[in-house]
Amino acid sequence: RQYWGTGPLVLNELGLRHRPTSTEKPPGTRRIVVLGGSHPMGMYVDAREAYSAVLERLLNADGGTWEVVNAAVPGFTSFQGKEWLAHYGLELQPDIVIADLGVNDTLPLTPDFPLPDSLVRRPPAWAVKTSDWLRHSAVYRLILRLREPEAPPGASQRVSAEEHAANLDAMRALGRAHSFKVLAVAQFTIDVHGPGSTHCLFPEVGQEPSVDLCAYWRGIGPAARKSFVDPVHADARGHAAIAGVIYARLRELGWTK
Protein backbone atom coordinates (compact mmCIF):
# COMPACT_ATOMS: atom_id res chain seq x y z
CA ARG A 1 0.00 0.00 0.00
CA GLN A 2 2.73 2.49 0.88
CA TYR A 3 4.15 2.28 -2.65
CA TRP A 4 1.01 3.55 -4.40
CA GLY A 5 -0.08 6.68 -2.58
CA THR A 6 -2.99 6.56 -0.17
CA GLY A 7 -4.56 3.34 -1.45
CA PRO A 8 -3.69 -0.07 -2.87
CA LEU A 9 -2.51 -0.57 -6.42
CA VAL A 10 -5.49 -1.00 -8.77
CA LEU A 11 -5.09 -2.28 -12.33
CA ASN A 12 -7.71 -2.32 -15.06
CA GLU A 13 -8.72 -5.23 -17.27
CA LEU A 14 -5.71 -4.59 -19.52
CA GLY A 15 -3.33 -4.88 -16.56
CA LEU A 16 -2.60 -1.14 -16.55
CA ARG A 17 -2.78 1.48 -13.80
CA HIS A 18 -5.54 3.28 -15.63
CA ARG A 19 -9.28 3.53 -15.30
CA PRO A 20 -11.32 0.85 -17.13
CA THR A 21 -10.99 1.32 -20.87
CA SER A 22 -11.20 -0.65 -24.09
CA THR A 23 -8.54 -1.27 -26.68
CA GLU A 24 -10.81 0.35 -29.27
CA LYS A 25 -10.49 4.11 -29.14
CA PRO A 26 -13.80 5.91 -28.60
CA PRO A 27 -14.96 8.04 -31.56
CA GLY A 28 -13.68 11.61 -31.40
CA THR A 29 -11.05 10.77 -28.78
CA ARG A 30 -7.33 11.33 -29.24
CA ARG A 31 -5.24 8.86 -27.26
CA ILE A 32 -1.76 9.14 -25.76
CA VAL A 33 -0.01 6.05 -24.41
CA VAL A 34 2.70 6.58 -21.79
CA LEU A 35 5.38 3.88 -21.68
CA GLY A 36 7.87 3.69 -18.84
CA GLY A 37 8.84 2.11 -15.55
CA SER A 38 7.73 2.63 -11.97
CA HIS A 39 8.22 6.40 -12.04
CA PRO A 40 5.74 7.23 -14.83
CA MET A 41 3.46 4.51 -13.45
CA GLY A 42 3.29 6.67 -10.33
CA MET A 43 5.05 4.85 -7.54
CA TYR A 44 4.49 6.69 -4.22
CA VAL A 45 1.58 8.77 -5.57
CA ASP A 46 -2.14 8.22 -6.17
CA ALA A 47 -3.21 7.24 -9.68
CA ARG A 48 -4.78 10.65 -10.28
CA GLU A 49 -1.48 12.32 -9.29
CA ALA A 50 0.68 10.43 -11.83
CA TYR A 51 1.77 12.74 -14.61
CA SER A 52 -0.25 10.84 -17.23
CA ALA A 53 -3.47 11.69 -15.35
CA VAL A 54 -2.41 15.30 -14.81
CA LEU A 55 -1.49 15.62 -18.50
CA GLU A 56 -4.92 14.29 -19.50
CA ARG A 57 -6.63 16.97 -17.40
CA LEU A 58 -4.44 19.70 -18.92
CA LEU A 59 -5.23 18.57 -22.46
CA ASN A 60 -8.97 18.28 -21.88
CA ALA A 61 -9.10 21.69 -20.21
CA ASP A 62 -7.59 23.06 -23.41
CA GLY A 63 -10.40 21.69 -25.57
CA GLY A 64 -10.94 18.44 -27.41
CA THR A 65 -11.28 14.97 -25.95
CA TRP A 66 -8.12 13.22 -24.84
CA GLU A 67 -7.32 9.96 -23.08
CA VAL A 68 -3.81 9.53 -21.67
CA VAL A 69 -3.29 5.84 -20.94
CA ASN A 70 -0.81 5.01 -18.20
CA ALA A 71 0.86 1.93 -19.71
CA ALA A 72 4.01 2.12 -17.57
CA VAL A 73 5.19 -1.01 -15.74
CA PRO A 74 7.71 -1.21 -12.86
CA GLY A 75 11.10 -2.37 -14.08
CA PHE A 76 10.42 -1.86 -17.78
CA THR A 77 13.42 -1.04 -19.96
CA SER A 78 13.38 0.48 -23.44
CA PHE A 79 13.59 -3.06 -24.83
CA GLN A 80 10.51 -4.18 -22.91
CA GLY A 81 8.66 -0.99 -23.83
CA LYS A 82 9.41 -1.55 -27.50
CA GLU A 83 8.21 -5.15 -27.29
CA TRP A 84 5.05 -4.20 -25.37
CA LEU A 85 4.22 -1.51 -27.90
CA ALA A 86 4.65 -3.91 -30.83
CA HIS A 87 2.68 -6.80 -29.28
CA TYR A 88 0.01 -4.98 -27.24
CA GLY A 89 0.22 -1.22 -27.55
CA LEU A 90 -0.80 -1.03 -31.20
CA GLU A 91 -4.22 -2.40 -30.21
CA LEU A 92 -4.79 0.83 -28.27
CA GLN A 93 -4.62 2.84 -31.53
CA PRO A 94 -2.45 5.62 -30.08
CA ASP A 95 -2.14 9.03 -31.68
CA ILE A 96 0.95 9.77 -29.59
CA VAL A 97 3.30 7.52 -27.61
CA ILE A 98 5.39 9.04 -24.83
CA ALA A 99 8.51 6.88 -24.43
CA ASP A 100 9.69 7.59 -20.87
CA LEU A 101 12.12 4.67 -20.81
CA GLY A 102 15.76 4.25 -19.90
CA VAL A 103 16.40 4.47 -16.15
CA ASN A 104 16.00 0.69 -15.83
CA ASP A 105 18.24 0.20 -18.87
CA THR A 106 21.16 1.24 -16.69
CA LEU A 107 20.58 -1.42 -14.00
CA PRO A 108 23.68 -3.61 -13.73
CA LEU A 109 23.77 -7.29 -14.62
CA THR A 110 23.87 -9.55 -11.56
CA PRO A 111 24.15 -13.30 -10.93
CA ASP A 112 20.34 -13.43 -10.71
CA PHE A 113 19.92 -11.35 -13.88
CA PRO A 114 23.03 -12.20 -15.91
CA LEU A 115 21.89 -11.26 -19.43
CA PRO A 116 20.98 -8.08 -21.29
CA ASP A 117 17.23 -7.90 -21.89
CA SER A 118 17.47 -8.60 -25.61
CA LEU A 119 19.12 -11.98 -24.97
CA VAL A 120 16.66 -13.31 -22.39
CA ARG A 121 14.73 -16.16 -23.98
CA ARG A 122 10.99 -16.52 -23.68
CA PRO A 123 10.27 -19.50 -21.39
CA PRO A 124 8.25 -22.36 -22.90
CA ALA A 125 4.49 -22.26 -22.34
CA TRP A 126 4.52 -25.28 -20.02
CA ALA A 127 7.09 -23.58 -17.81
CA VAL A 128 4.99 -20.42 -17.52
CA LYS A 129 1.92 -22.41 -16.48
CA THR A 130 3.83 -24.29 -13.79
CA SER A 131 6.21 -21.53 -12.70
CA ASP A 132 4.64 -21.18 -9.24
CA TRP A 133 6.09 -24.48 -8.12
CA LEU A 134 8.90 -24.96 -10.66
CA ARG A 135 10.68 -21.82 -9.47
CA HIS A 136 11.36 -23.60 -6.16
CA SER A 137 13.23 -26.37 -7.98
CA ALA A 138 17.02 -26.04 -8.05
CA VAL A 139 17.13 -28.49 -10.97
CA TYR A 140 14.70 -26.34 -12.98
CA ARG A 141 16.72 -23.19 -12.25
CA LEU A 142 19.89 -25.01 -13.32
CA ILE A 143 18.27 -26.09 -16.59
CA LEU A 144 17.22 -22.52 -17.29
CA ARG A 145 20.72 -21.27 -16.56
CA LEU A 146 22.29 -23.90 -18.84
CA ARG A 147 20.04 -23.02 -21.78
CA GLU A 148 20.77 -19.31 -21.54
CA PRO A 149 23.26 -17.80 -23.98
CA GLU A 150 26.47 -16.21 -22.77
CA ALA A 151 26.48 -12.49 -22.10
CA PRO A 152 28.57 -10.70 -24.74
CA PRO A 153 32.01 -9.46 -23.62
CA GLY A 154 31.79 -6.07 -21.96
CA ALA A 155 28.05 -6.24 -21.27
CA SER A 156 27.43 -4.64 -17.88
CA GLN A 157 23.81 -3.42 -17.84
CA ARG A 158 20.34 -4.52 -18.92
CA VAL A 159 20.30 -2.36 -22.07
CA SER A 160 23.35 -0.66 -23.54
CA ALA A 161 23.31 2.95 -24.69
CA GLU A 162 23.46 1.78 -28.32
CA GLU A 163 20.54 -0.62 -27.84
CA HIS A 164 18.61 2.11 -26.01
CA ALA A 165 18.88 4.38 -29.06
CA ALA A 166 17.96 1.49 -31.36
CA ASN A 167 14.87 0.68 -29.29
CA LEU A 168 13.67 4.29 -29.54
CA ASP A 169 14.29 4.21 -33.30
CA ALA A 170 12.25 0.99 -33.53
CA MET A 171 9.35 2.70 -31.72
CA ARG A 172 9.57 5.65 -34.11
CA ALA A 173 9.50 3.20 -37.04
CA LEU A 174 6.34 1.63 -35.58
CA GLY A 175 4.87 5.11 -35.33
CA ARG A 176 5.55 5.84 -38.99
CA ALA A 177 4.03 2.49 -39.99
CA HIS A 178 0.91 2.93 -37.84
CA SER A 179 0.37 6.70 -38.04
CA PHE A 180 1.27 7.80 -34.53
CA LYS A 181 3.95 10.12 -33.18
CA VAL A 182 6.60 9.21 -30.59
CA LEU A 183 7.88 11.68 -27.99
CA ALA A 184 11.04 10.52 -26.22
CA VAL A 185 11.61 11.71 -22.65
CA ALA A 186 15.17 12.47 -21.53
CA GLN A 187 16.19 10.20 -18.65
CA PHE A 188 17.72 11.47 -15.42
CA THR A 189 18.25 10.91 -11.71
CA ILE A 190 18.16 13.44 -8.88
CA ASP A 191 20.73 13.42 -6.06
CA VAL A 192 18.07 13.79 -3.36
CA HIS A 193 20.44 12.83 -0.53
CA GLY A 194 23.16 15.21 -1.62
CA PRO A 195 23.30 18.61 -3.31
CA GLY A 196 20.17 17.97 -5.40
CA SER A 197 22.05 17.84 -8.69
CA THR A 198 20.46 16.30 -11.79
CA HIS A 199 22.30 13.59 -13.74
CA CYS A 200 21.40 12.94 -17.40
CA LEU A 201 21.51 9.29 -18.47
CA PHE A 202 20.99 9.24 -22.24
CA PRO A 203 21.22 11.91 -24.97
CA GLU A 204 17.58 11.78 -26.09
CA VAL A 205 17.78 15.45 -26.97
CA GLY A 206 19.07 15.71 -30.51
CA GLN A 207 17.01 12.67 -31.48
CA GLU A 208 13.90 14.75 -32.00
CA PRO A 209 11.12 14.89 -31.17
CA SER A 210 11.91 14.77 -27.48
CA VAL A 211 11.27 16.57 -24.22
CA ASP A 212 14.31 17.52 -22.15
CA LEU A 213 13.19 16.91 -18.58
CA CYS A 214 16.84 16.61 -17.57
CA ALA A 215 17.48 20.23 -18.58
CA TYR A 216 14.28 21.28 -16.84
CA TRP A 217 15.29 19.82 -13.49
CA ARG A 218 18.84 21.09 -13.88
CA GLY A 219 17.35 24.54 -14.33
CA ILE A 220 15.45 24.14 -11.05
CA GLY A 221 18.77 23.52 -9.30
CA PRO A 222 19.09 22.03 -5.78
CA ALA A 223 15.37 22.64 -5.14
CA ALA A 224 14.63 19.77 -7.55
CA ARG A 225 15.17 17.26 -4.75
CA LYS A 226 12.09 18.65 -2.97
CA SER A 227 9.94 17.18 -5.76
CA PHE A 228 11.33 13.63 -5.52
CA VAL A 229 10.92 10.79 -3.05
CA ASP A 230 14.17 9.17 -4.17
CA PRO A 231 16.60 9.68 -7.10
CA VAL A 232 14.09 8.25 -9.62
CA HIS A 233 10.53 8.70 -8.32
CA ALA A 234 8.82 12.09 -8.21
CA ASP A 235 6.21 13.05 -5.63
CA ALA A 236 2.85 14.58 -6.58
CA ARG A 237 4.41 18.03 -7.01
CA GLY A 238 7.10 16.57 -9.28
CA HIS A 239 4.55 14.69 -11.39
CA ALA A 240 2.53 17.89 -11.81
CA ALA A 241 5.64 19.75 -12.98
CA ILE A 242 6.54 16.98 -15.44
CA ALA A 243 3.01 16.98 -16.86
CA GLY A 244 3.29 20.73 -17.40
CA VAL A 245 6.60 20.42 -19.24
CA ILE A 246 5.31 17.62 -21.49
CA TYR A 247 2.08 19.53 -22.15
CA ALA A 248 4.04 22.62 -23.18
CA ARG A 249 6.25 20.52 -25.46
CA LEU A 250 3.23 18.89 -27.15
CA ARG A 251 1.79 22.35 -27.82
CA GLU A 252 5.14 23.59 -29.11
CA LEU A 253 5.30 20.66 -31.54
CA GLY A 254 1.77 21.39 -32.72
CA TRP A 255 0.58 17.91 -31.71
CA THR A 256 -2.37 19.17 -29.67
CA LYS A 257 -4.10 20.85 -32.60
Side-chain angles (χ1 to χ4, degrees), residues 176-200:
R176 291 190 293 270
H178 296 275
S179 301
F180 63 82
K181 299 177 175 65
V182 177
L183 181 68
V185 177
Q187 302 295 289
F188 61 91
T189 61
I190 306 289
D191 186 7
V192 296
H193 303 299
S197 54
T198 301
H199 304 281
C200 303

Side-chain angles (χ1 to χ4, degrees), residues 146-185:
L146 291 175
R147 71 187 292 271
E148 286 178 344
E150 292 286 335
S156 60
Q157 61 188 47
R158 288 181 63 183
V159 179
S160 69
E162 294 76 18
E163 289 174 326
H164 173 82
N167 291 332
L168 289 179
D169 285 342
M171 285 185 264
R172 294 186 184 101
L174 280 172
R176 291 190 293 270
H178 296 275
S179 301
F180 63 82
K181 299 177 175 65
V182 177
L183 181 68
V185 177

Side-chain angles (χ1 to χ4, degrees), residues 214-226:
C214 189
Y216 170 78
W217 289 112
R218 276 187 168 172
I220 298 296
R225 62 186 170 190
K226 296 179 181 179

Side-chain angles (χ1 to χ4, degrees), residues 5-37:
T6 57
L9 174 63
V10 177
L11 305 179
N12 68 10
E13 65 279 9
L14 302 178
L16 306 177
R17 195 186 191 197
H18 187 72
R19 63 181 179 275
T21 190
S22 64
T23 53
E24 185 175 354
K25 186 168 53 178
T29 297
R30 299 185 69 190
R31 180 176 275 171
I32 296 176
V33 173
V34 176
L35 300 178

Side-chain angles (χ1 to χ4, degrees), residues 28 40 48 84 92 94 101 107 116 131 140 165 179 220 225 239:
R48 67 181 308 275
W84 189 91
L92 294 171
L101 295 152
L107 295 178
S131 62
Y140 173 66
S179 301
I220 298 296
R225 62 186 170 190
H239 275 273

Side-chain angles (χ1 to χ4, degrees), residues 196-210:
S197 54
T198 301
H199 304 281
C200 303
L201 300 180
F202 294 101
E204 267 81 13
V205 177
Q207 300 179 33
E208 297 297 344
S210 62

Side-chain angles (χ1 to χ4, degrees), residues 53-194:
V54 180
L55 177 62
E56 181 179 275
R57 294 194 292 273
L58 289 173
L59 289 165
N60 286 323
D62 201 25
T65 304
W66 292 83
E67 182 184 22
V68 182
V69 178
N70 185 346
V73 180
F76 257 27
T77 63
S78 61
F79 174 82
Q80 291 173 305
K82 174 198 70 172
E83 292 294 302
W84 189 91
L85 180 61
H87 290 282
Y88 304 104
L90 297 180
E91 297 179 6
L92 294 171
Q93 304 168 304
D95 296 285
I96 299 170
V97 169
I98 295 176
D100 192 350
L101 295 152
V103 170
N104 293 316
D105 291 20
T106 66
L107 295 178
L109 300 180
T110 67
D112 287 330
F113 300 94
L115 292 173
D117 281 20
S118 59
L119 295 181
V120 177
R121 293 175 176 172
R122 183 186 299 274
W126 61 265
V128 174
K129 293 178 180 178
T130 56
S131 62
D132 283 346
W133 61 270
L134 273 178
R135 63 188 175 86
H136 297 294
S137 167
V139 173
Y140 173 66
R141 293 198 301 271
L142 177 61
I143 291 173
L144 287 182
R145 182 63 56 84
L146 291 175
R147 71 187 292 271
E148 286 178 344
E150 292 286 335
S156 60
Q157 61 188 47
R158 288 181 63 183
V159 179
S160 69
E162 294 76 18
E163 289 174 326
H164 173 82
N167 291 332
L168 289 179
D169 285 342
M171 285 185 264
R172 294 186 184 101
L174 280 172
R176 291 190 293 270
H178 296 275
S179 301
F180 63 82
K181 299 177 175 65
V182 177
L183 181 68
V185 177
Q187 302 295 289
F188 61 91
T189 61
I190 306 289
D191 186 7
V192 296
H193 303 299

